[in-house]
Amino acid sequence: MIGIFDSGIGGMTVARAVEQLLPDHPLIYFGDIARTPYGPKSPETIVNYSIRNTEFLLEKGATLIIIACNSASSVATTALRERFQVPIIEVISPAVEKAVRISKSGRIGIIGTKATVKSKVYQQKIQKKAPDFEVFSTACPLLVPLVEEGWLNKRETKMIIRRYLHPLKDKQIDTLVLACTHYPLLTELIQARIGKRVQLIDSSIETAHYTKTYLEKHPDLVSPEPGASHTYYTSDSTETARKVANYIFNRPMELIVA
Amino acid sequence: MIGIFDSGIGGMTVARAVEQLLPDHPLIYFGDIARTPYGPKSPETIVNYSIRNTEFLLEKGATLIIIACNSASSVATTALRERFQVPIIEVISPAVEKAVRISKSGRIGIIGTKATVKSKVYQQKIQKKAPDFEVFSTACPLLVPLVEEGWLNKRETKMIIRRYLHPLKDKQIDTLVLACTHYPLLTELIQARIGKRVQLIDSSIETAHYTKTYLEKHPDLVSPEPGASHTYYTSDSTETARKVANYIFNRPMELIVA
């Protein structure tokens, strides 16, 4: 069974992309809404929460874990791989591979939470693959609360995006990585602000493609079956979470409180 | 020892007010930054976190607890009083008493988090004291993240306050309760928007006055001593928390991670 966790509902963009590519693979999701957001918190706290989330998914039968959260992927991947035997897929490497492949100017922008930007993991991974590339990162901490509130097309959201993207505007980037699984819900506003010439990379979609390829190479890990269960757990129950979940999947979602 | 807890740093406005009125009383503060914010979360989750925070303060020697968080005061006060023997002071009743005392029109506005507004506890408490009063409440969920980010005077913050206060503008209120301990950091913006004729009530200051009166009636509970310790614990360590704490107290703050 594919196990996916996130700090809240943002990781559902990864789950949605996985469902689309692998509809017959059983899937279990855990959104840690009771402790959301992770992005402004310290690496130690994020590692602790990530371990607990992984344990929950393994108890429920997961045989492969996707960390559907850039903050947790940035600071907790190594700790999870040391502690657990199952394959751990994170959302960073697939986006990095795509960015290095498609950027022509070698100038790449990264937007994410404070935890992600501070970890410098995108920069390190990009420059390991392409040492001459330049990476410009900026943290956008208020975008997660704005998405979690469902303010997806409000004037204030546009202004805050404008303020956050300002330092990237004159860096002549040709590629911008949405290094937070909440941001695909703001794609249009971000694209409008950064300009049409900049290609956006959605880490959710890249991670789903990576997972599909990985499972093709390791077919014994998760067995597809028609009508396989896709179950969504959260650590808390709120109206806004349900609303945003319905919006992401475009269907009425049942969220089970664990 | 006076024990104070909050979901994060907002409750420091209560601690600051208590320090000013009772500088010689030993004080211990716990800010649950690792799980902040509480406002969008469910009552069950907020009760669980409040119990843990109270246990921490009692272990450290607190003999009186102040719930310096309106969300926790709204949904967890009864549970804490049932479970613990020490006096539990919440931030709602002191603000309600002041509002009922000073309002001339009997039309009172309340702004707070979703948890606080949904609990209707302000409305119930006001109408118990003054059954003919009208209460108009509105939730402002993004103000806590904006304060926690230190966006205290940004244009976007003004616009978001404008949007949130809009439904209260034509209700002819003469009193507005800041029913969240983060909001005193936005007093000027809120006052400018709601108008000079509306009196703002700061639940932090009212709670500090209430605590002082309570301790005058129960002098054996906490013994003052010159140079008494004021210790600030948090459940996580972040740069922004330190920055906002320094701003609130106007001195370099040491935050101990518990």
Side-chain angles (χ1 to χ4, degrees):
Chain A
M1 193 189 290
I2 299 172
I4 304 179
F5 78 82
D6 176 44
S7 62
I9 50 185
M12 288 182 185
T13 61
V14 178
R16 173 181 64 181
V18 170
E19 275 196 2
Q20 278 163 0
L21 288 181
L22 302 165
D24 294 336
H25 282 64
L27 177 158
I28 173 177
Y29 180 93
F30 180 73
D32 196 11
I33 292 174
R35 293 170 194 84
T36 198
Y38 285 2
K41 288 161 192 168
S42 71
E44 294 73 28
T45 293
I46 299 171
V47 168
N48 286 338
Y49 293 167
S50 298
I51 288 171
R52 280 201 246 167
N53 300 342
T54 304
E55 282 169 348
F56 173 83
L57 293 171
L58 294 178
E59 277 163 25
K60 294 282 180 189
T63 50
L64 164 107
I65 301 290
I66 303 175
I67 312 174
C69 169
N70 281 266
S71 304
S73 293
S74 297
V75 303
T77 301
T78 309
L80 295 185
R81 287 190 178 146
E82 279 169 4
R83 197 176 183 108
F84 301 106
Q85 301 302 315
V86 299
I88 309 276
I89 291 177
E90 37 77 16
V91 287
I92 297 163
S93 305
V96 163
E97 272 172 39
K98 176 80 176 270
V100 170
R101 200 165 66 237
I102 68 169
S103 174
K104 283 175 186 140
S105 69
R107 300 174 73 85
I108 296 175
I110 307 289
I111 53 173
T113 66
K114 279 187 197 171
T116 299
V117 167
K118 216 172 165 183
S119 76
K120 294 196 172 147
V121 62
Y122 272 91
Q123 198 170 338
Q124 286 158 5
K125 278 183 188 277
I126 289 171
Q127 289 176 340
K128 201 168 165 192
K129 284 186 177 287
D132 54 330
F133 272 36
E134 283 199 80
V135 179
F136 307 92
S137 304
T138 193
C140 311
L142 287 165
L143 298 190
V144 170
L146 286 164
V147 168
E148 299 265 339
E149 278 308 307
W151 282 36
L152 302 177
N153 204 17
K154 289 251 198 307
R155 198 168 150 224
E156 291 85 345
T157 309
K158 285 179 201 170
M159 286 179 64
I160 290 172
I161 287 172
R162 185 196 191 99
R163 186 186 289 272
Y164 281 144
L165 294 184
H166 183 73
L168 292 178
K169 279 291 280 183
D170 60 352
K171 295 291 189 295
Q172 293 155 314
I173 57 170
D174 71 349
T175 306
L176 177 65
V177 180
L178 307 182
C180 172
T181 52
H182 285 75
Y183 299 176
L185 297 166
L186 301 169
T187 299
E188 281 175 40
L189 300 189
I190 293 168
Q191 185 80 69
R193 185 61 202 150
I194 198 71
K196 274 184 291 184
R197 288 182 198 171
V198 176
Q199 303 181 80
L200 299 193
I201 292 179
D202 178 336
S203 61
S204 307
I205 291 171
E206 301 312 319
T207 302
H209 281 290
Y210 180 90
T211 305
K212 184 166 183 260
T213 307
Y214 188 88
L215 285 174
E216 281 163 3
K217 285 185 203 155
H218 303 85
D220 295 344
L221 209 54
V222 184
S223 306
E225 41 180 308
S229 68
H230 296 173
T231 319
Y232 288 81
Y233 289 92
T234 57
S235 53
D236 200 358
S237 161
T238 72
E239 221 171 286
T240 310
R242 263 190 306 278
K243 237 175 55 191
V244 182
N246 292 351
Y247 176 86
I248 291 174
F249 288 93
N250 198 23
R251 67 174 194 256
M253 292 293 292
E254 194 198 353
L255 304 180
I256 306 166
V257 179
Chain B
M1 192 188 290
I2 299 173
I4 303 179
F5 78 81
D6 175 43
S7 62
I9 51 186
M12 288 182 185
T13 61
V14 178
R16 173 181 66 180
V18 170
E19 276 196 1
Q20 277 163 1
L21 288 180
L22 302 166
D24 294 336
H25 282 65
L27 177 157
I28 173 177
Y29 180 92
F30 180 73
D32 196 10
I33 292 174
R35 292 169 196 84
T36 199
Y38 284 4
K41 289 160 191 168
S42 72
E44 296 72 30
T45 293
I46 298 172
V47 168
N48 285 340
Y49 293 169
S50 299
I51 289 171
R52 281 201 246 167
N53 300 342
T54 304
E55 283 170 348
F56 173 82
L57 294 171
L58 295 177
E59 277 163 26
K60 294 282 180 191
T63 51
L64 165 106
I65 300 291
I66 303 176
I67 313 174
C69 169
N70 280 266
S71 304
S73 293
S74 297
V75 303
T77 301
T78 308
L80 295 186
R81 287 189 177 146
E82 279 169 6
R83 196 175 184 109
F84 301 105
Q85 302 302 314
V86 299
I88 309 276
I89 291 177
E90 37 78 15
V91 288
I92 296 162
S93 305
V96 162
E97 272 171 39
K98 176 80 177 273
V100 169
R101 199 163 69 238
I102 67 170
S103 174
K104 282 174 187 141
S105 69
R107 300 174 74 83
I108 296 176
I110 307 288
I111 53 173
T113 66
K114 278 186 196 171
T116 299
V117 167
K118 216 171 165 186
S119 76
K120 294 196 173 147
V121 63
Y122 272 90
Q123 197 169 340
Q124 287 158 4
K125 279 184 188 276
I126 289 172
Q127 290 178 338
K128 202 169 166 190
K129 284 186 178 286
D132 55 330
F133 271 36
E134 282 198 80
V135 180
F136 306 93
S137 305
T138 192
C140 310
L142 287 165
L143 298 190
V144 169
L146 285 163
V147 168
E148 298 264 340
E149 278 309 306
W151 282 35
L152 303 177
N153 203 19
K154 289 248 197 311
R155 195 164 152 228
E156 291 85 345
T157 308
K158 285 179 201 172
M159 285 179 65
I160 291 173
I161 286 172
R162 185 197 192 100
R163 187 186 287 271
Y164 282 143
L165 294 183
H166 183 73
L168 292 177
K169 279 291 280 182
D170 60 351
K171 295 292 189 297
Q172 292 154 314
I173 57 171
D174 71 348
T175 306
L176 177 64
V177 181
L178 307 183
C180 173
T181 52
H182 284 74
Y183 298 178
L185 297 166
L186 300 170
T187 300
E188 282 176 38
L189 299 190
I190 293 169
Q191 186 79 69
R193 185 62 203 152
I194 199 71
K196 275 184 290 187
R197 289 183 195 170
V198 176
Q199 303 180 77
L200 299 195
I201 293 179
D202 178 336
S203 61
S204 307
I205 291 172
E206 301 312 321
T207 302
H209 282 289
Y210 179 91
T211 304
K212 183 166 183 260
T213 307
Y214 188 89
L215 286 175
E216 280 162 5
K217 285 184 202 156
H218 304 83
D220 295 344
L221 209 55
V222 184
S223 306
E225 41 179 309
S229 68
H230 296 173
T231 318
Y232 288 81
Y233 289 92
T234 56
S235 53
D236 200 357
S237 162
T238 71
E239 222 172 284
T240 310
R242 264 190 306 277
K243 237 176 56 189
V244 182
N246 292 350
Y247 176 87
I248 291 174
F249 288 92
N250 197 23
R251 68 173 194 255
M253 292 293 292
E254 193 197 355
L255 303 180
I256 305 166
V257 179

